[in-house]
Amino acid sequence: MTHPDLAHFPVVVELDVAWGEMDAYDHVNNVVYFRYFENARIAYLDRVGWMASKVATGLGPIIASTSARYRKPVRYPDRLFVGVRATDVQTDRLTFEYRLVSAKWNAVAAEGQALVVSYDYATGAKAPIPDAVRRAVSDLEGPK
């Protein structure tokens, strides 16, 4: 599915809502949306080589903060399309924006953000984003 609300998101993952993701209020629990965002973020990080870079160099991404805005309740059964893009890239961090579209609603059901910091897992300190990853992000995002 191509949805106009995801046109500017270079990475989109498709997910089915599982019955067990719903809570006592008959909709997907708010915490689960962060898992949906995580799935999209990991797909993005794989695509730009940051996950492989972490294995090779020990420099990888770590979440500094994250947020969500819920627009419509999502329920089982539904198919979701989660877009992710980098909106601000700095020396040692980038900001991801997420948009979650529900096939059932045919509309945006949630939006979110995450601040991701480049982290040296060996020293426990921030580090610059690897050059190859930075170039891959630039290539994926295209001109702004």
Side-chain angles (χ1 to χ4, degrees):
M1 169 183 166
T2 301
H3 196 277
D5 287 322
L6 297 172
H8 300 291
F9 288 79
V11 175
V12 177
V13 298
E14 298 180 26
L15 305 165
D16 288 318
V17 173
W19 174 261
E21 294 171 336
M22 294 196 312
D23 60 20
Y25 299 104
D26 194 34
H27 58 74
V28 168
N29 186 276
N30 63 314
V31 173
V32 176
Y33 288 80
F34 291 99
R35 287 191 210 131
Y36 298 152
F37 296 161
E38 177 185 56
N39 278 295
R41 183 177 63 252
I42 296 301
Y44 189 106
L45 295 172
D46 275 338
R47 191 149 165 201
V48 298
W50 209 352
M51 299 305 283
S53 175
K54 183 199 176 292
V55 172
T57 68
L59 299 178
I62 194 166
I63 297 289
S65 66
T66 187
S67 65
R69 179 164 186 251
Y70 310 101
R71 295 179 167 272
K72 294 187 177 294
V74 173
R75 296 179 180 91
Y76 172 88
D78 199 351
R79 185 134 181 94
L80 306 175
F81 302 88
V82 187
V84 59
R85 64 183 172 189
T87 59
D88 182 36
V89 180
Q90 296 181 27
T91 302
D92 63 353
R93 67 192 67 205
L94 59 84
T95 302
F96 280 123
E97 178 182 331
Y98 309 107
R99 186 167 292 155
L100 187 149
V101 173
S102 158
K104 186 182 283 184
W105 287 105
N106 191 31
V108 175
E111 295 172 306
Q113 283 192 331
L115 177 62
V116 176
V117 173
S118 181
Y119 189 74
D120 184 331
Y121 283 84
T123 66
K126 289 188 294 184
I129 296 172
D131 289 338
V133 171
R134 182 181 298 285
R135 282 190 303 274
V137 168
S138 179
D139 291 347
L140 181 60
E141 294 292 341
K144 296 280 183 196

